[in-house]
Amino acid sequence: MTQIYCAIDTPDVARATELARLVSDAGCGVKLGLEFFASNGPAGIAAVSKACPDAQIFMDVKFHDIPNTVAGALRGAARLGVAYVNVHASGGADMMRAGQDALVDESARLGLPTPKLLAVTVLTSIDEVALQSVGMQGPAKDQVVRLARLTQQSGLAGIVCSGQEISLVRAALGADLVLMVPGIRPVGSEVGDQKRVMTPKEAMDAGATHLVIGRPITGATDPAAAARAILETLS
């Protein structure tokens, strides 16, 4: 199983491809997000996939729109052969179900493996004060569990949540839900713009399925060595 997805946040296809080769050789998957996608579109995802055919790709674009629009977007994602793609759980059950159905249908039509659909619960850059400012009452952990339950009921593979909610989600919803966990920082790393963080070992021990780690790997002098060093802490 691919335990770590390396967040490659760059608009440059050549740089993204170089990093993808390095981290995939070290045993990591690749997360390509909005910065990359807005600059390069589906062609950029395809270019990285072609250059690194063995790499598992998480297309982190967080679709959030009316059900029909999200379904159309996810049909496009199905054509790219990615391992994971995501939406915002706050888009609601109808949106999530429409997206899941579209992924399954388009993948079957093309004879491709179906990407696993995840739903973002509460962004790791959001704290309690920020939640209240947008009208969400109650602790972040309660909102995460609420949206995780809705995601599971909607038939998706899993969620994106912070490390601080892993144990709560596992206790409430069991072991089958995929938990993709960003906001992961190895011991001694800078927290950056994340508010709710955890170390890789802590997150995996708590029940995470996959970890998303960016700058501690991509900002290292030797990204492959940095990735391997983190993976070694998980064994």
Side-chain angles (χ1 to χ4, degrees):
M1 181 184 74
T2 301
Q3 292 178 299
I4 293 175
Y5 280 80
C6 178
I8 298 179
D9 298 315
T10 174
D12 187 286
V13 174
R15 176 59 175 161
T17 299
E18 177 189 15
L19 286 169
R21 282 201 192 99
L22 290 171
V23 301
S24 62
D25 286 347
C28 294
V30 175
K31 184 186 84 72
L32 297 172
L34 282 172
E35 183 178 4
F36 181 84
F37 192 74
S39 296
N40 304 290
I45 303 282
V48 174
S49 180
K50 182 177 180 180
C52 308
D54 295 329
Q56 296 286 299
I57 294 179
F58 170 24
M59 183 175 163
D60 179 26
V61 288
K62 303 181 183 72
F63 292 126
H64 188 168
D65 212 310
I66 64 173
N68 189 57
T69 298
V70 169
L74 286 170
R75 286 189 192 95
R79 300 173 197 132
L80 298 174
V82 298
Y84 285 103
V85 62
N86 59 359
V87 297
H88 271 288
S90 54
D94 287 348
M95 184 202 77
M96 288 193 280
R97 290 188 187 111
Q100 176 65 24
D101 289 346
L103 273 179
V104 171
D105 290 348
E106 188 67 6
S107 298
R109 186 182 74 81
L110 297 171
L112 295 172
T114 303
K116 291 182 179 179
L117 185 58
L118 307 176
V120 176
T121 52
V122 176
L123 296 171
T124 53
S125 59
I126 298 287
D127 58 16
E128 306 295 346
V129 174
L131 268 180
Q132 291 180 15
S133 74
V134 296
M136 293 184 185
Q137 300 302 312
K141 61 184 176 62
D142 292 349
Q143 179 71 354
V144 169
V145 173
R146 185 181 304 116
L147 290 174
R149 183 173 287 110
L150 182 64
T151 299
Q152 188 178 58
Q153 293 169 348
S154 300
L156 276 63
I159 65 167
V160 180
C161 68
S162 90
Q164 295 179 21
E165 290 90 42
I166 296 170
S167 297
L168 292 169
V169 172
R170 287 289 181 226
L173 301 175
D176 293 338
L177 205 63
V178 171
L179 302 189
M180 180 77 73
V181 183
I184 298 299
R185 292 290 184 270
V187 175
S189 297
E190 293 183 2
V191 171
D193 56 5
Q194 306 289 349
K195 298 287 179 62
R196 302 185 340 275
V197 301
M198 184 175 277
T199 69
K201 186 73 164 69
E202 289 171 340
M204 293 303 291
D205 287 349
T209 311
H210 308 290
L211 311 177
V212 177
I213 304 175
R215 281 166 277 188
I217 295 175
T218 60
T221 303
D222 186 339
R228 290 190 186 97
I230 296 171
L231 285 167
E232 286 174 3
T233 71
L234 305 180
S235 60

